Amino acid sequence: MENYQTRVTPAKEDAVAALKDEFKEYNGFIFTDYRGMTVEQITSIRKALKKDEAAYRVVKNRYAKIALKDLEKTGAEDTMKGPTAVALVKGDTANTVAKVLFNANKDGVSIQVKGALLDGKFMSADEVEALSKLPTKLELIASLMGTMKAPVQKLAATLLAYVESKGGAPAEAASEETQN
């Protein structure tokens, strides 16, 4: 019995090189099973992810494994079985990308997250789902700014009430008097 060996052709080498070049631009990879999805659904996910500078790419498992291995991004080999599409993540938008994928699933798209490779660490599907439920960076910043702004607003309201209680004119009335 002879051992079966895949013949490496220039076309396969080019496909792996192209995938590797694309993967270099991203620091996170969320692996999904796209079985049962329509072309329109995949296109819809791609459009939603484009807003976060992310991409959604159907890949050939063998090529993706080789490209990730060459980039020293290992740990997700077991997730690349069956039909696989990868959400490619840039920067710190992983939870936003995960939200898009899980929201698509809630909207009736038959997408299943298999796992992720984020910042060099493998995450299970449950961990990616938990990540998707965290607030985004912008939401956290807005919350922080609101918290920081509250004491200043309270001080301004207290000072205004004090001035008015002493018989001083409100700021609007004072500015009208100076204009007359």
Side-chain angles (χ1 to χ4, degrees):
M1 204 173 198
E2 293 180 40
N3 288 337
Y4 176 77
Q5 201 161 9
T6 303
R7 196 165 58 100
V8 179
T9 64
K12 289 178 184 178
E13 287 177 352
D14 292 345
V16 170
L19 205 55
K20 190 169 127 182
D21 287 343
E22 184 176 10
F23 283 2
K24 275 184 202 174
E25 298 176 30
Y26 299 92
N27 64 326
F29 309 91
I30 301 176
F31 303 96
T32 65
D33 184 338
Y34 66 93
R35 200 174 318 186
M37 289 176 61
T38 64
V39 173
E40 291 82 18
Q41 291 170 331
I42 291 174
T43 303
S44 172
I45 289 174
R46 284 181 174 146
K47 285 180 183 176
L49 293 178
K50 195 172 187 177
K51 297 173 190 171
D52 294 311
E53 294 185 43
Y56 192 64
R57 179 108 152 63
V58 173
V59 295
K60 193 162 190 148
N61 291 332
R62 185 177 309 221
Y63 296 172
K65 286 178 187 178
I66 294 168
L68 288 170
K69 183 179 176 189
D70 287 352
L71 294 171
E72 299 176 4
K73 296 180 186 290
T74 59
E77 294 80 9
D78 292 340
T79 61
M80 289 185 272
K81 292 180 179 156
T84 304
V86 183
L88 306 167
V89 181
K90 276 187 183 177
D92 55 0
T93 61
N95 70 327
T96 309
V97 171
K99 278 180 200 285
V100 169
L101 298 175
F102 281 99
N103 286 341
N105 196 358
K106 289 177 189 172
D107 294 340
V109 177
S110 61
I111 184 173
Q112 179 186 358
V113 174
K114 299 178 180 183
L117 193 58
L118 301 171
D119 296 321
K121 294 181 183 172
F122 178 76
M123 296 176 74
S124 68
D126 292 336
E127 292 170 320
V128 177
E129 185 173 9
L131 176 69
S132 75
K133 294 176 181 174
L134 293 174
T136 65
K137 183 179 179 182
L138 289 176
E139 291 168 343
L140 288 172
I141 289 171
S143 175
L144 176 65
M145 296 309 287
T147 303
M148 291 172 62
K149 190 172 90 172
V152 174
Q153 283 180 322
K154 188 173 181 180
L155 175 64
T158 303
L159 291 173
L160 181 61
Y162 177 75
V163 168
E164 289 175 355
S165 72
K166 294 295 181 185
E172 295 166 2
S175 66
E176 286 176 15
E177 289 177 13
T178 57
Q179 289 177 359
N180 291 335

